[in-house]
Amino acid sequence: MQVFGNATEPVRKETKAGGKGYFEFRMCESQRGSDADPTWYTVRIMKDQDPGLKKGDFVKVTGKLKADFYMSREGKPTGTLLIIAFEAAKLAKPVAQTATATDE
């Protein structure tokens, strides 16, 4: 599957079993037009190599989609859409906000 969207800052984590490093971030899928309920994914890149992404970068993620179920802090079952990524590539940086001149 391929998903295009904006990423949060990637965080390095380690597997509990083997202590291998990987990177994880959240991303919001971009849709054309207005989307009142955007789709959020957790993305795991199973390589111990910094993907070079920053918060707000527009990225393309290719990988396998899974449903990740777990118990919340409140003890209730919950879940998230998880992408085990083969590739996470930055397509564009966010556009910087520029100050506009005001009429004097």
Side-chain angles (χ1 to χ4, degrees), residues 24-76:
E24 184 173 284
F25 62 92
R26 299 273 294 154
M27 80 177 284
C28 182
E29 183 177 23
S30 293
Q31 297 285 334
R32 290 182 182 237
S34 176
D35 189 0
D37 291 321
T39 304
W40 282 87
Y41 299 93
T42 298
V43 179
R44 282 191 194 144
I45 306 169
M46 301 307 291
K47 296 179 185 175
D48 196 4
Q49 180 180 1
D50 188 351
L53 303 174
K54 300 290 180 210
K55 180 180 179 181
D57 284 346
F58 187 73
V59 297
K60 174 182 84 170
V61 173
T62 305
K64 183 175 182 177
L65 179 65
K66 293 183 158 230
D68 187 23
F69 296 103
Y70 55 92
M71 295 299 271
S72 71
R73 291 180 183 149
E74 293 80 27
K76 297 179 182 178

